[in-house]
Amino acid sequence: MSIDAEQVRRIAHLARIGLAADEAQRYIGDLESILGMVERMRAVPTDGVVPLPHPIDVGQRLRPDVVTEQDERELFQTDAPAVADGFYLVPRVVE
Amino acid sequence: MTSDGTLVELSARITQGDIGCREVAERCLARIEQGSHLNAFISIDAERVLARAAALDAMPEADRGPLHGLPIAVKDIFCQAGVETTAGSRMLQGWRAPYDAHVIQRLEAAGALLVGKTNMDEFAMGSSGENSHYGPTRNPWNTERVPGGSSSGSAAAVASGMVPAALGTDTGGSIRQPAAFCGLTGLKPTYGRVSRWGMIAFASSLDQAGPMAWTAADLALLLAAMAGCDERDSTSVDRPVDAYSAALEAPIEGRRIGIPDALLGEDVAAPVRAAVDAAKRTFEQLGATTHAVSLPTALAGVPAYYVLAPAEASTNLARYDGVRFGHRCSSPQSLEDLYLRSRAEGFGSEVKRRILTGTYVLSVGYYEAYYLHAQRVRRLIRDEFLAAFEDVDAILAPTTPGVAFALGEKTDDPVAMYQQDVFTIPANLAGIPALSMPAGLSAGMPLGVQLLGPHFAETTLLNLAHAFQTATDHHLARPAGAAA
């Protein structure tokens, strides 16, 4: 399994994790060894096996279509990094 | 200072009026203080604990629940209203949960005295407790060794005698492996048996909460309070909860126990193999029969897990964006910069490793080869368990390849660390319940064996473990220097 710095940078961008240059280098080695280990599952023949996304065979329950939640904006915003007038603040996106 | 013994013992003393909740709380807080070098707790609100104890003491007898006054430590992955809940991460440092997790509500409704939030590997990703932003937890049996993870602080808090029981979560072995490393009994219930509502998500198709204590009898007491359907978790299963404690003493004669020889290969340390053999003989002496079972795909569990769990983690942890809660970098220059730096600063290296792995296996061109292949392996593993359980009531296996390793021994080699969970991961992939119980000491360190059962067979596992603990005294071993 071979991974290059460009691939690590691309994945890190998709995951929105900023990486310093030396960090990217370290993750190349880590990902190569993890994916190398993962390759071992290829020895298992899986032709015709249906993927299992969830271990218990139960359907999703339905509930009555009624409002169950109250407005708790103030409480939820108590520990938010930056709020004003009930809104979450982020750097300006549109000039 | 002496410990409070087991939950069952302490409960009897409280009921008889030998000790009040206030005194229980004070003694617990003192022992926690005494054991602070173990770094078992991330936060303790002593005032809150004492106020709760006073309220419990004032409660009319008719209103008292089955866990009345019992001190229980909680892994810092469970939301507790108004209490800092960090998941072991810098990302959530200082964040106070706005609501109680379902299990917190259930334990408090049953009268439990929750004493504090325990240390853990960040977002439950780890097998040693070393991935916590709040520093590693130490093993009470030998403070140069790891307590196991990710429920590291819960294991250390119980093993050192600070509290008689604690809550953990188990995504790939995070209750059972630390229980084995610290000489405790720990149970991962069936997926869906205990609501995940208010439990900070790591890998949602694998995560399950469960109890850790000295004995199976104590686990039965706690599980009865925790289990049951909760509409707020759509994967919580609507099915009656068994009377776990009432079934503990049922005779185990004629119970069929499977031994998966394929899991006892060369990677298993000789003392662990010997412990499994000895446990097998004990069960035979108690009247159970043992049978070879075949689980040919179980050893492919680790590679499949390290596709599925990181994939789920990478999506679950996308919510930490520095906007609504959690860490935010200083002076972000743009929204993109805000995301990149908040996440770079807020997450530790193992969490980043898993997010990157998960993002990779889900990315265009790799999804089929990694993610879907791993899900197929997952079905094979589950179906092999289901087939085995047509012939046996439970399976006996090692919990870990060896005893607790030294702090720092495996931190530079993620794959060697992941391999620690080779015997615990299959139960998570299959969604079946599994229990680890003490099975002896090797060079002074505890080791555990595991009992695995069919979906919702917690009663069987607790019954077998209780019979084992009635016939043996491994669960009575205590670390030197712990509150006895």
Side-chain angles (χ1 to χ4, degrees):
Chain A
M1 194 71 223
S2 144
I3 305 253
D4 59 31
E6 183 46 40
Q7 274 175 302
V8 171
R9 272 194 292 273
R10 190 177 59 87
I11 302 161
H13 176 72
L14 287 172
R16 298 296 186 273
I17 292 177
L19 288 187
D22 58 325
E23 254 188 315
Q25 207 53 41
R26 199 180 78 213
Y27 285 117
I28 292 176
D30 286 350
L31 285 177
E32 280 183 345
S33 64
I34 294 168
L35 294 169
M37 179 272 285
V38 161
E39 288 297 317
R40 283 200 278 120
M41 73 175 181
R42 298 222 183 281
V44 179
T46 59
D47 288 349
V49 178
V50 180
L52 180 74
H54 193 273
I56 308 280
D57 295 313
V58 287
Q60 294 277 299
R61 272 191 308 278
L62 297 176
R63 65 169 180 84
D65 186 14
V66 293
V67 176
T68 56
E69 299 300 312
Q70 303 157 356
D71 175 12
E72 295 188 272
R73 181 163 71 175
E74 236 172 86
L75 171 66
F76 294 153
Q77 291 192 335
T78 319
D79 282 344
V83 290
D85 303 328
F87 296 101
Y88 294 94
L89 298 185
V90 294
R92 183 178 291 277
V93 179
V94 182
E95 289 303 329
Chain B
M1 181 181 289
T2 55
S3 83
D4 289 322
T6 66
L7 287 181
V8 170
E9 289 162 358
L10 180 61
S11 181
R13 290 174 57 209
I14 294 172
T15 308
Q16 286 157 13
D18 290 351
I19 188 169
C21 300
R22 170 86 191 194
E23 192 186 343
V24 168
E26 283 170 350
R27 290 165 50 84
C28 250
L29 292 169
R31 286 191 305 260
I32 290 168
E33 183 63 39
Q34 226 168 40
S36 58
H37 62 287
L38 297 173
N39 200 22
F41 285 82
I42 291 177
S43 65
I44 293 157
D45 184 343
E47 237 170 81
R48 186 188 176 104
V49 176
L50 293 172
R52 164 77 173 158
L56 287 167
D57 276 330
M59 191 179 273
E61 249 171 72
D63 297 343
R64 295 182 180 181
L67 302 181
H68 183 78
L70 299 181
I72 292 161
V74 176
K75 187 177 184 177
D76 202 20
I77 199 167
F78 294 100
C79 289
Q80 197 177 354
V83 174
E84 185 185 21
T85 300
T86 70
S89 182
R90 182 184 182 198
M91 185 59 88
L92 289 174
Q93 190 160 27
W95 180 70
R96 290 162 300 167
Y99 64 96
D100 281 330
H102 179 76
V103 292
I104 298 277
Q105 293 175 335
R106 295 290 289 267
L107 289 185
E108 291 209 311
L113 175 65
L114 304 181
V115 296
K117 310 293 289 290
T118 57
N119 205 349
M120 56 180 285
D121 284 301
E122 184 178 3
F123 287 107
M125 299 177 191
S127 308
S128 70
E130 295 167 292
N131 296 335
S132 170
H133 175 66
Y134 305 91
T137 303
R138 292 170 180 275
N139 190 320
W141 292 81
N142 178 341
T143 54
E144 299 307 311
R145 307 250 182 139
V146 304
S150 65
S151 309
S152 50
S154 288
V158 180
S160 62
M162 294 172 185
V163 286
L167 294 192
T169 61
D170 191 315
T171 304
S174 285
I175 287 173
R176 291 161 287 157
Q177 187 249 20
F181 278 7
C182 290
L184 306 176
T185 308
L187 174 68
K188 181 202 91 71
T190 306
Y191 182 85
R193 181 67 295 182
V194 175
S195 169
R196 294 182 293 108
W197 198 78
M199 192 174 114
I200 293 174
F202 159 18
S204 302
S205 81
L206 301 155
D207 296 342
Q208 185 64 196
M212 306 167 80
W214 290 113
T215 65
D218 280 3
L219 299 186
L221 194 61
L222 283 176
L223 183 63
M226 298 166 68
C229 187
D230 170 24
E231 288 193 353
R232 298 166 300 187
D233 171 4
S234 64
T235 61
S236 154
V237 176
D238 189 5
R239 186 184 159 113
V241 175
D242 294 350
Y244 302 114
S245 295
L248 286 172
E249 303 285 350
I252 68 158
E253 274 147 37
R255 285 286 190 185
R256 301 159 302 168
I257 296 177
I259 311 290
D261 291 332
L263 291 189
L264 291 165
E266 55 199 42
D267 293 346
V268 184
V272 175
R273 241 186 314 222
V276 174
D277 283 342
K280 176 181 169 219
R281 284 195 301 277
T282 300
F283 281 119
E284 286 168 348
Q285 283 156 11
L286 289 167
T289 57
T290 56
H291 311 265
V293 293
S294 171
L295 298 169
T297 312
L299 288 176
V302 172
Y305 177 89
Y306 277 96
V307 171
L308 299 174
E312 295 187 23
S314 71
T315 43
N316 268 329
L317 273 61
R319 75 190 62 175
Y320 303 103
D321 57 5
V323 175
R324 290 152 303 156
F325 55 93
H327 177 75
R328 167 181 259 189
C329 65
S330 63
S331 326
Q333 300 304 300
S334 64
L335 191 56
E336 175 87 4
D337 182 46
L338 167 68
Y339 294 149
L340 291 175
R341 283 200 291 129
S342 297
R343 289 165 64 80
E345 294 166 7
F347 292 138
S349 58
E350 179 61 22
V351 171
K352 288 181 195 170
R353 204 155 26 232
R354 301 222 193 170
I355 291 175
L356 294 175
T357 305
T359 306
Y360 181 85
V361 300
L362 290 175
S363 63
V364 174
Y366 298 101
Y367 180 79
E368 166 84 29
Y370 286 107
Y371 190 64
L372 287 183
H373 190 88
Q375 285 194 334
R376 291 190 181 100
V377 172
R378 183 176 192 179
R379 180 177 297 275
L380 290 174
I381 290 173
R382 187 194 67 163
D383 289 355
E384 285 168 10
F385 273 116
L386 297 186
F389 289 131
E390 306 235 320
D391 300 320
V392 296
D393 300 303
I395 289 172
L396 174 67
T399 306
T400 60
V403 296
F405 45 89
L407 283 156
E409 186 179 323
K410 296 186 197 292
T411 40
D412 292 333
D413 186 350
V415 170
M417 189 72 93
Y418 297 170
Q419 206 56 33
Q420 286 299 307
D421 297 331
V422 60
F423 302 122
T424 48
I425 278 174
N428 299 85
L429 291 172
I432 58 174
L435 174 152
S436 178
M437 58 184 182
L441 298 177
S442 171
M445 295 303 290
L447 41 84
V449 296
Q450 208 182 174
L451 288 166
L452 304 92
H455 293 125
F456 301 102
E458 284 83 359
T459 301
T460 306
L461 301 186
L462 292 165
N463 175 213
L464 288 169
H466 181 70
F468 183 82
Q469 293 180 339
T470 307
T472 61
D473 56 8
H474 302 307
H475 62 292
L476 300 177
R478 299 287 182 271

